[in-house]
Every structure is written in C-alpha cells, then in structure tokens.
C-alpha cells in the first residue's frame, strides 16, 4: 500500500533513519550502504547538534547523527537539491565529528572513524557507477 510519503523528504527520512525507537532501520540502511566486513549490529541515535564551543564558532545541525557498537560515528544527510558548497559542508560536518572526540592528553590513534552519507536527489559524482543491488 502506497502511503504517499516520499522518503527523500527531510522530515520523513529523519523519522525513519533517525528514530531512536526503531534503530533496526538505521542498522539495515548502514549495512546496505557501507557493506562492512563485520555487519553493524547496534546503533545509538545521538543529539544532532554540533554545539558552539566559543561565541564565534559555527553552530551546525546534522540531519541524523548516530554511533555504532565499535564507536564509529555517522552523519546521514538528506538533500532534495544540490546546494552550493555541499562537498565542503559534508567535509566540515565530518571533521567536526572527529574534532569532538579527543580531549587533552588523548592520542590520535584513539580517534574512531567518522562516516558521512548524503542521500542526494541529484548526481554529485556523475562518473561513479552505483553499487549493484544486494
């Protein structure tokens, strides 16, 4: 039965993949897209806000922010258009996830991977072929 809800709409996607009450949808999505050697078995939906540390810092709001059982961090973004500067914005978000991990005296090897996935209703890399369906 078609409910008439477009899953590419920001609100609908956030309710599906960013819902802490239904982590199985996010787990299935991440395993389908990333195809990790060892499947992801647990995710926790986190606060999507990247808070300002200083008054002059930029505040950001991720669409969906999650972590898995190995401590990998995920930012899943939904875009119905291809905004200018998208690549730089995604790099900034991913870097923000890395920067927030370490405190004074901690070593860089302790950093957990930060992975950004963007659901985009346009081609960002026209020469790249999509992965075959599972």
């Amino acid at each position: 039965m078609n409910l008439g809800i477009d899953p590419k709409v920001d609100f609908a996607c956030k309710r599906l993949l960013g819902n802490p009450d239904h982590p199985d949808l996010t787990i299935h999505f991440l395993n389908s897209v990333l195809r990790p050697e060892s499947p992801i078995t647990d995710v926790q939906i986190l606060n999507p806000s990247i808070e300002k540390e200083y008054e002059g810092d930029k505040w950001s709001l991720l669409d969906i922010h999650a972590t898995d059982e190995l401590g990998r961090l995920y930012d899943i973004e939904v875009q119905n258009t291809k905004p200018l500067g998208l690549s730089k914005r995604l790099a900034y978000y991913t870097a923000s996830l890395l920067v927030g991990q370490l405190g004074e005296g901690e070593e860089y090897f302790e950093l957990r991977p930060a992975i950004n996935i963007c659901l985009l209703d346009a081609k960002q890399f026209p020469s790249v072929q999509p992965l075959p369906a599972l």
Side-chain angles (χ1 to χ4, degrees):
M1 177 169 97
N2 185 347
L3 298 176
I5 299 171
D6 184 353
K8 297 182 305 256
V9 172
D10 196 47
F11 175 79
C13 191
K14 287 179 187 182
R15 297 291 296 163
L16 291 170
L17 296 178
N19 190 332
D21 296 329
H22 304 287
D24 289 347
L25 290 171
T26 308
I27 292 168
H28 180 73
F29 172 80
L30 291 172
N31 282 322
S32 296
V33 170
L34 299 173
R35 300 180 184 185
E37 283 184 32
S38 177
I40 297 165
T41 59
D42 185 45
V43 295
Q44 179 182 14
I45 304 300
L46 303 173
N47 179 350
S49 179
I50 298 175
E51 298 296 332
K52 297 166 65 163
E53 189 171 339
Y54 301 101
E55 184 178 340
D57 288 352
K58 181 165 181 62
W59 176 82
S60 301
L61 183 66
L62 308 177
D63 285 342
I64 300 159
H65 184 200
T67 187
D68 68 16
E69 68 273 12
L70 298 177
R72 294 173 290 207
L73 293 166
Y74 301 95
D75 167 32
I76 303 170
E77 294 295 317
V78 183
Q79 296 293 321
N80 280 324
T81 62
K82 188 174 162 185
L84 292 174
L86 178 63
S87 295
K88 290 182 179 182
R89 181 195 312 180
L90 297 177
Y92 180 84
Y93 287 172
T94 305
S96 295
L97 297 180
L98 289 169
V99 168
Q101 290 185 41
L102 295 180
E104 188 174 339
E106 293 180 301
E107 299 294 334
Y108 293 109
F109 68 81
E110 297 177 62
L111 282 172
R112 305 306 308 154
I115 300 165
N116 183 287
I117 299 169
C118 186
L119 302 174
L120 183 61
D121 200 13
K123 288 190 174 192
Q124 178 72 8
F125 305 105
S127 62
V128 175
Q129 295 300 314
L131 293 171
L134 294 176

